[in-house]
Amino acid sequence: MDHPRAFLLLKPDCLRLGLTGSVERAIARAGLRIVCRHRVTLSGADVRCLWPEYHEAGHPLALAFLDRYLTGEPSEVLHLRGPDAFEAARRVKREVRSRHAAGPFANVVHGAQRHGEMARQAGHLLGRCAACAEPFHSDEPPLNPPRPPGRDFRADADLTALVDELWPLVQGVPADPGPVRLDGDDTGQAVVLGSDPEQTLDSTVTALWHALPGVELRHAVLLVMHAGYSGGTPVAVGGRRALDDCLRILRAHGVRACWRGLI
Ligand SMILES: [Zn+2]
């Protein structure tokens, strides 16, 4: 089935960095034309409506970072038309990200992954003018599958303040806070955390919270962000038994991308 319409959301960093022209050229190269554009300043409520696979109690960290990244500054929605617009818009998104994305919350553009997501999000973002009023249709379920949740860290920290503190440290290459020292004599080995897109920031930080007794929340968040960037970040050093326990607890929390390695 041909989908002649699509949209892309130019996030606040795209506008701030002056990348709109670069995105427009990628759109033209993909055979799409811009039929309408809307400036929007997203709110926290918009973020929760657009990405309902994240919810307040289970993904408070992801939402706090998304709020910091996406709200309060202007974004722009581009309504696109052209042959097989859904796939073409996805290609534009990949091209723009490979050229300009820098860091875990700095990927410049959003485009829907699924037709159902596209229709649902377009219904939220468009429909404000005659050119955009015709609803997007999709046979797919509107919701994306839920993402693995984590601990409700709102009880442990002021997450808005935490994100304000960490924000400069996760721009570009995320800062590496170094491994946590566990009990026992150093063996020259470490537990290494890899990158796993099946997990979420919240689910992985929660696993570290249990696997690294007494770890500070800011430390755990930075370890997870660095692991997502590096693909292999040492998160714990110490004695053999402590490292065994750490790995076992990570795996019990669903983290598969973790192993024992040399420090
Ligand atoms: Zn419009």
Side-chain angles (χ1 to χ4, degrees):
M1 177 177 165
D2 186 36
H3 291 265
R5 295 189 300 153
F7 78 87
L8 285 171
L9 176 69
L10 312 191
K11 296 177 177 181
D13 50 344
C14 184
L15 274 56
R16 198 184 328 114
L17 296 169
L19 302 176
T20 304
S22 172
V23 177
E24 288 179 11
R25 288 189 289 278
I27 287 169
R29 281 197 296 278
L32 298 173
R33 64 192 170 83
I34 300 168
V35 292
C36 194
R37 51 203 313 160
H38 292 253
R39 279 260 170 164
V40 293
T41 298
L42 297 178
S43 66
D46 290 320
V47 167
R48 285 149 185 78
C49 186
L50 289 168
W51 291 281
E53 58 267 35
Y54 297 105
H55 62 84
E56 215 66 62
H59 309 92
L61 290 171
L63 286 171
F65 274 98
L66 286 173
D67 283 343
R68 177 70 177 72
Y69 178 35
L70 295 173
T71 70
E73 280 187 76
S75 299
E76 189 165 33
V77 190
L78 301 184
H79 184 173
L80 308 173
R81 203 176 262 283
D84 206 2
F86 175 83
E87 285 302 331
R90 285 179 41 135
R91 285 199 303 278
V92 171
K93 175 179 80 170
R94 283 196 297 270
E95 181 188 333
V96 169
R97 285 186 175 181
S98 74
R99 198 170 290 183
H100 299 296
F105 287 92
N107 60 14
V108 185
V109 288
H110 167 73
Q113 296 275 17
R114 302 167 42 258
H115 293 289
E117 181 186 23
M118 169 83 69
R120 183 175 53 74
Q121 293 179 333
H124 184 77
L125 291 168
L126 297 173
R128 305 172 186 208
C129 70
C132 298
E134 182 197 344
F136 281 54
H137 291 294
S138 164
D139 302 333
E140 287 181 355
L143 294 181
N144 292 346
R147 314 267 355 254
R151 176 186 173 91
D152 189 351
F153 285 109
R154 291 175 300 174
D156 306 293
D158 176 343
L159 298 185
T160 306
L162 180 82
V163 169
D164 280 344
E165 179 201 340
L166 296 184
W167 191 251
L169 302 177
V170 300
Q171 302 304 298
V173 175
D176 182 356
V180 168
R181 185 158 296 281
L182 301 178
D183 288 342
D185 292 333
D186 240 333
T187 53
Q189 295 212 315
V191 170
V192 180
L193 179 68
S195 173
D196 183 357
E198 297 296 309
Q199 295 294 323
T200 61
L201 176 63
D202 292 88
S203 66
T204 314
V205 169
T206 298
L208 285 185
W209 180 263
H210 292 284
L212 304 172
V215 69
E216 280 186 56
L217 183 54
R218 65 184 301 285
H219 196 147
V221 170
L222 287 175
L223 285 171
V224 173
M225 294 250 189
H226 192 269
Y229 159 78
S230 74
T233 295
V235 298
V237 292
R240 220 180 103 90
R241 173 173 301 197
L243 296 185
D244 281 344
D245 285 346
C246 177
L247 265 180
R248 184 176 47 75
I249 294 168
L250 286 174
R251 289 181 179 139
H253 279 84
V255 174
R256 285 171 300 175
C258 57
W259 58 91
R260 187 189 282 279
L262 293 173
I263 187 82

